[in-house]
Amino acid sequence: MELRSSAAANPGGVAELWLDDIEECKTAVSIIGTLFVFTLIFRFNACYDRWWEARIFWGDIISKSLDLGIMNRRWFDDAELQNQMSRFIVVYSYACKALLRGQSLTHEEGDGSALVERGLLSQQELDLMDGSPSWQPFFCLEVIRAIVVQFYGIPDMKGFKPGTGKLQAQIFRNFDNNIKDLVTLIGNCVRIRASGLPASYDAITMTSFIAFFLLASVVWSAAIGWMTPIVVFCASVIIMFLILMGTKLVDPFGLDKVDIPMECFCATLEAQMQAIDERNDVISEVTSTAARSGLKSRRVLGKRQATFHIPNEQKKSFKLA
């Protein structure tokens, strides 16, 4: 205000020259602001891409795990080994969650004790996992591989459902490919957690943030006067929120509200694995009845709605058929 008053009182003086110089700086400040917005968006997109990639990987972990559970019940025919495989498929997801948070299942914040209480693990199995030098998700996958080998080792191929004689080689390939995919998926999640963002991203963003608002406050003061501090404060707060939001997205496996809800994913996988095991006999009965009845296929009419349920509370004890 004083600068404008001095310029009005003394035309052509120093104050007016200062105002002219500030006016001429508007273009330069606009360019700096454009570069700053570019660096801000670039950093936020990099953070969001990491979060989105982690979300996709966890979706694949769920679908691949459920596929293993379905194949286990449809093709194999040894109840004890089938139950063991179903249990370790569920434990794999909880082991992934613990690994991605830098913990183990036996950690005080891990799920090991709860898994033992629900019958998904025995205490001996949990102790063996904790004492193993490998990552616990890989331990679970190795157990699943060993179970598949045991099915093939049962004499006279009695470990398979009747009618799968010509499919046994393909069955092994399907299991092996699914297990390889699960190995790759947890490896990709570990890569996301361990890599982080390059330090230069944060340095460039904060440097441009400080430079822009220092220069902008000078240029804006000539036009809006006493409103400058209010405008600068509001704009900087909004931008700092975007920067902090991006920082929260860098590690999508934590406990922040914006992080991947791995607890819900694990609970959903457990509930669906239980459903697969419970409906095993029903599916067999339906297919056999349809084969004997000789009914022609009919078009299903009526409205159909897909549902997706994430349990809010832990299910009761996991009991396998």
Side-chain angles (χ1 to χ4, degrees), residues 209 213 217 220 224 227-241:
F209 172 82
F213 279 105
S217 60
W220 293 345
I224 61 178
M227 287 288 292
T228 301
I230 299 176
V231 173
V232 170
F233 174 78
C234 294
S236 60
V237 166
I238 293 173
I239 291 175
M240 282 305 300
F241 274 132

Side-chain angles (χ1 to χ4, degrees), residues 97-278:
K97 177 172 75 73
L99 175 65
L100 295 174
R101 289 182 177 168
Q103 304 169 356
S104 69
L105 289 176
T106 54
H107 190 270
E108 60 181 6
E109 297 181 2
D111 300 283
S113 299
L115 293 173
V116 173
E117 291 177 2
R118 298 202 298 275
L120 286 164
L121 277 179
S122 67
Q123 188 60 49
Q124 181 183 7
E125 290 169 338
L126 181 61
D127 294 338
L128 288 173
M129 289 182 66
D130 187 52
S132 174
S134 65
W135 286 343
Q136 290 177 348
F138 288 172
F139 183 94
C140 296
L141 294 177
E142 284 300 308
V143 171
I144 294 173
R145 283 184 188 273
I147 294 171
V148 173
V149 173
Q150 289 185 52
F151 278 117
Y152 279 83
I154 297 176
D156 300 325
M157 291 298 175
K158 293 183 178 180
F160 293 86
K161 296 279 188 182
T164 59
K166 296 181 180 180
L167 300 175
Q168 290 171 7
Q170 184 62 40
I171 291 173
F172 182 84
R173 282 193 293 270
N174 288 342
F175 270 95
D176 191 56
N177 289 336
N178 263 31
I179 294 173
K180 287 179 180 178
D181 290 340
L182 290 173
V183 170
T184 301
L185 289 169
I186 185 57
N188 288 335
C189 290
V190 170
R191 169 182 57 81
I192 291 175
R193 182 180 183 272
S195 60
L197 281 180
S200 58
Y201 283 20
D202 291 336
I204 293 173
T205 301
M206 295 309 299
T207 301
S208 58
F209 172 82
I210 295 171
F212 171 71
F213 279 105
L214 284 177
L215 294 174
S217 60
V218 175
V219 174
W220 293 345
S221 63
I224 61 178
W226 63 270
M227 287 288 292
T228 301
I230 299 176
V231 173
V232 170
F233 174 78
C234 294
S236 60
V237 166
I238 293 173
I239 291 175
M240 282 305 300
F241 274 132
L242 290 175
I243 294 175
L244 291 175
M245 186 184 297
T247 302
K248 295 292 186 181
L249 295 175
V250 170
D251 181 11
F253 305 113
L255 297 172
D256 297 320
K257 291 184 178 180
V258 297
D259 289 333
I260 302 297
M262 294 189 291
E263 291 86 357
C264 294
F265 289 166
C266 292
T268 299
L269 176 59
E270 181 178 345
Q272 291 304 310
M273 282 299 300
Q274 185 175 4
I276 289 170
D277 293 340
E278 290 177 349

